[in-house]
Amino acid sequence: MKKIFLYIMIAISLTLSISAQENQLKLIDSFNRTNLEELRSRFNSVGLEMVKTPNSKILVRIYGGESESFARPYIYGSLIKSIWKNFLKLPLEKLDIQFCNINNEPFLINSYLVEADANIETCEENLKMPQKAVLFESAYFDGNDFSASKIDFNSVENEYPATEYTIGAYSEFAQNILKKFLEDSIESKVYIIGYLDTNFETDGNGKVIAKNQHNLNKKSRLKKMFQAAHKQLIKNGFSNSQIKMMDGGYVNISRRLEFWFVPKGSEIPKPKPDYVPKKNRKK
């Protein structure tokens, strides 16, 4: 009888604790996937709400994932952090970002106003390691400046992005998850597929109107892109033996690096170029 009473008291205590925490959360915005301009506008409003509320901070919970890019929730987290820090110029200690039920729910971003010293329990991430090769994320590079000798490779968090995939940038949140997967499965690999830009002229509809072989990026540029990415991964604590590079060929859009997580025994991803130079075409 005493045990039953004890269990009841524990259950009541947990219920009251959860209820008390929920009462500390004031939902001020909720939305699904959006573009960078709207994301910036929404967090400008969220930031203003915090500024006008004394002794407060913002808790952001990102739920669920996206099939087209495994790291989509983490990329959004990086963009939010960048907007908060570099565009709104607000202190990072006033922003908490949590990732919740990544594999189990539709994509959703909720922003809450909470007291600055509130002790809010972290939600369950529920992240499962992929069982087959998945595109983790992509880092895009400026397709117009193909004569520059330097390749920058910075995290989205470090600079305010001009586009959702800012030049040569990656998400620190996403790459930390990728590193965790590789640490938990030492026979898995990260394949980095590099695509160069054709730099062909196009009309207003995006149709190619001039194809000059001299407009192709030089292979030396791909080497520099790989070197920049490899250096960053090693700096971040990745194992050199788990990093593989692959030449993806040429594409008619901005050059990019794709980061693929390939678990043990999974099929290695195949590059998908959309242009083959004449000298490389099979007769």
Side-chain angles (χ1 to χ4, degrees):
M1 189 69 181
K2 289 183 178 180
K3 285 187 176 180
I4 294 176
F5 179 76
L6 179 61
Y7 292 151
I8 292 174
M9 293 303 295
I10 291 173
I12 292 174
S13 177
L14 288 173
T15 301
L16 291 174
S17 176
I18 293 171
S19 177
Q21 284 198 26
E22 291 303 316
N23 288 335
Q24 294 182 75
L25 301 179
K26 179 185 177 182
L27 181 65
I28 55 176
D29 197 12
S30 181
F31 59 96
N32 304 110
R33 182 179 173 182
T34 186
N35 58 39
L36 182 67
E37 183 177 357
E38 183 179 347
L39 190 67
R40 179 180 59 194
S41 176
R42 284 181 175 275
F43 274 89
N44 183 55
S45 298
V46 167
L48 288 174
E49 187 72 20
M50 185 209 69
V51 169
K52 72 180 185 181
T53 306
N55 194 35
S56 66
K57 65 179 180 180
I58 296 298
L59 169 65
V60 177
R61 283 180 171 171
I62 303 177
Y63 297 85
E66 296 255 346
S67 59
E68 67 182 77
S69 174
F70 191 91
R72 177 72 65 179
Y74 302 99
I75 292 171
Y76 267 88
S78 294
L79 289 168
I80 290 167
K81 185 177 177 181
S82 174
I83 290 169
W84 188 268
K85 171 187 173 185
N86 303 313
F87 178 69
L88 300 177
K89 307 296 185 183
L90 293 172
L92 286 178
E93 59 266 24
K94 292 285 191 175
L95 175 70
D96 287 340
I97 299 176
Q98 296 180 1
F99 301 95
C100 314
N101 290 328
I102 295 301
N103 293 120
N104 300 328
E105 293 186 19
F107 185 73
L108 179 69
I109 298 178
N110 284 345
S111 298
Y112 302 91
L113 185 71
V114 301
E115 292 184 4
D117 56 354
N119 185 19
I120 307 298
E121 187 175 345
T122 302
C123 63
E124 291 291 334
E125 193 167 8
N126 291 323
L127 179 64
K128 299 176 183 177
M129 183 181 297
Q131 299 303 304
K132 61 181 181 179
V134 293
L135 174 60
F136 220 80
E137 67 166 320
S138 300
Y140 283 73
F141 295 83
D142 185 3
N144 297 318
D145 180 15
F146 57 93
S147 61
S149 59
K150 183 181 179 183
I151 291 288
D152 290 322
F153 194 77
N154 300 311
S155 65
V156 173
E157 291 93 332
N158 289 338
E159 297 181 5
Y160 179 65
T163 61
E164 185 170 341
Y165 292 105
T166 192
I167 297 170
Y170 71 98
S171 160
E172 285 184 358
F173 282 132
Q175 296 225 347
N176 286 337
I177 294 298
L178 179 57
K179 183 173 72 171
K180 182 180 184 301
F181 283 162
L182 292 170
E183 289 173 344
D184 292 344
S185 176
I186 59 174
E187 294 186 70
S188 297
K189 310 288 184 186
V190 52
Y191 274 80
I192 305 177
I193 303 179
Y195 293 94
L196 290 174
D197 190 1
T198 59
N199 289 299
F200 293 149
E201 294 181 26
T202 58
D203 61 17
N205 297 319
K207 182 180 178 181
V208 176
I209 57 177
K211 287 192 175 183
N212 186 331
Q213 294 290 318
H214 296 294
N215 282 350
L216 295 175
N217 282 171
K218 295 181 179 179
K219 290 294 182 180
S220 59
R221 176 152 293 274
L222 181 61
K223 182 179 179 180
K224 291 176 182 176
M225 290 164 61
F226 280 148
Q227 288 174 341
H230 184 269
K231 180 179 179 180
Q232 187 64 46
L233 293 184
I234 295 299
K235 180 182 177 181
N236 244 6
F238 284 70
S239 170
N240 184 61
S241 62
Q242 291 179 291
I243 303 172
K244 304 294 180 183
M245 309 289 187
M246 189 183 299
D247 184 345
Y250 290 92
V251 290
N252 283 323
I253 55 175
S254 297
R255 58 185 179 273
R256 67 183 185 273
L257 295 177
E258 292 182 349
F259 295 80
W260 289 77
F261 173 72
V262 183
K264 177 186 176 182
S266 178
E267 184 177 353
I268 297 172
K270 295 179 174 61
K272 296 180 179 179
D274 55 25
Y275 177 79
V276 179
K278 292 180 179 179
K279 62 180 180 180
N280 296 336
R281 295 176 188 174
K282 295 180 180 179
K283 296 181 179 180

